[in-house]
Amino acid sequence: MSNPGTPTFEQLRVFLAVVDAGSFAGAARNLNRAVSVVSYGIANLEAQLGLELFERDGTRKPKLTAAGRTVLAEARALAQGIDGLRAKVKGLLDGLEAEVDIAVDVMLPAERIGKALHAFAEAFPTVSLCLHVEALGAVTAAVLERKAIIGISGPLATAVEGVSCVAAGAVPTVPVAAPDHPLGRMERIEPGEARNHVQLVLTDRSPLTEGQDFAVLSPRTWRLADLGAKHALLRQGLGWGNMPLPLVQPDLDNGTLMRLAIPDHSGGIYRFAGVWRRDTPPGPAASWLLDRFVALGAGDIDEEGFAGI
């Protein structure tokens, strides 16, 4: 059994040109070569593979054989891979990053993340991306520890040494509980009443916020490092807590959660900041992504205050 030879990329490029143009003459025009050169290239490719790629008898236009259709799929995949490699190398030569690592606050609305990353994928198709979702000080910690080149952090980042910040919008937070929770069943919540019930509190293990509480009213707390888990426990009636309004709006609409009118704490504004190390400024792709998040947050509610989480 004979083994096929190894075709050159140039031979495959000529093959694809014939398929795309629908003729040898059209491929020759597109490649700016003589028709004889294109025919010779195809003949060499067929000889290398030991296969007939085109049916030439009884037709004016070259028609792919069954083997040719199979080779076509592989040739296109190889060509796309080579084009991607060349684009990535060109980006590196131009100073474009090969990969961007970004950490975002868990409170950042998912829709905003999706819009920013979708635009990033279109603007920088050759740049890989690694997304970290963290809570509280862990976003800025990831930037300080060089696990991420940029971050979209909560307001805690503004006081961290060695970190530069830019405002990146905000999200309103509201206190909520399940309808069957004691606070949810009250027609009127008296001042101080929320202190008598378990408050679900978002926490993290970052040294920047370790042991700190933010607008925690109740001495009875359950601490969770995952916003999704907090959301689920709130819906189960296992406590009350503050949540970003965009995340719980569907629950408020369908009645699985209700907004609490707590006199001591009606909610607030959780502000975001784009962050990066002062001694390691982001490259062009990371800077573009940071600017995108800033632009998407520009229309956010403009109020003073900090929301408990």
Side-chain angles (χ1 to χ4, degrees), residues 32-55:
N32 196 27
R33 297 184 183 177
V35 176
S36 59
V37 174
V38 172
S39 297
Y40 181 73
I42 294 298
N44 279 343
L45 176 60
E46 290 178 323
Q48 282 274 11
L49 297 176
L51 296 169
E52 285 193 2
L53 302 176
F54 294 101
E55 297 176 2

Side-chain angles (χ1 to χ4, degrees), residues 53-178:
L53 302 176
F54 294 101
E55 297 176 2
R56 298 178 179 83
D57 296 335
T59 177
R60 296 180 57 185
K61 291 187 177 183
K63 181 180 178 181
L64 286 170
T65 63
R69 290 192 293 272
T70 301
V71 171
L72 175 62
E74 297 298 329
R76 287 211 187 279
L78 285 170
Q80 291 171 358
I82 292 294
D83 290 342
L85 174 63
R86 293 177 64 186
K88 188 175 287 288
V89 170
K90 183 181 185 303
L92 292 173
L93 293 174
D94 293 342
L96 192 65
E97 308 96 315
E99 181 179 84
V100 168
D101 288 83
I102 177 174
V104 301
D105 194 295
V106 69
M107 301 283 282
L108 193 66
E111 182 181 6
R112 188 174 309 179
I113 297 174
K115 286 182 178 179
L117 298 189
H118 187 273
F120 179 83
E122 291 187 341
F124 300 95
T126 67
V127 179
S128 300
L129 184 132
C130 184
L131 176 68
H132 309 268
V133 180
E134 305 286 356
L136 300 171
V139 173
T140 303
V143 172
L144 285 173
E145 295 167 6
R146 303 184 190 277
K147 295 178 181 177
I149 189 66
I150 57 173
I152 307 299
S153 174
L156 311 172
T158 57
V160 177
E161 184 66 29
V163 172
S164 294
C165 304
V166 60
V171 65
T173 67
V174 293
V176 296

Side-chain angles (χ1 to χ4, degrees), residues 1 3 47-49 97 112 114 159 168 192 194 215 219 228 231 264 272 302 304:
M1 181 180 294
N3 292 322
Q48 282 274 11
L49 297 176
E97 308 96 315
R112 188 174 309 179
H231 189 190
D264 320 67
F272 300 110
D302 185 17
E304 293 300 324

Side-chain angles (χ1 to χ4, degrees), residues 195-256:
R195 294 176 53 84
N196 299 325
H197 303 273
V198 171
Q199 182 177 354
L200 303 183
V201 179
L202 195 64
T203 185
D204 77 300
R205 292 178 292 274
S206 163
L208 297 179
T209 51
E210 187 175 10
Q212 299 183 44
D213 287 331
F214 301 94
V216 176
L217 299 186
S218 175
R220 303 171 59 194
T221 59
W222 284 14
R223 299 177 183 276
L224 305 96
D226 180 77
L227 188 64
K230 179 180 177 180
H231 189 190
L233 295 186
L234 285 168
R235 295 176 66 174
Q236 291 295 321
L238 294 176
W240 70 274
N242 297 291
M243 291 290 284
L245 183 57
L247 179 60
V248 296
Q249 188 62 61
D251 296 284
L252 300 179
D253 293 340
N254 63 33
T256 52

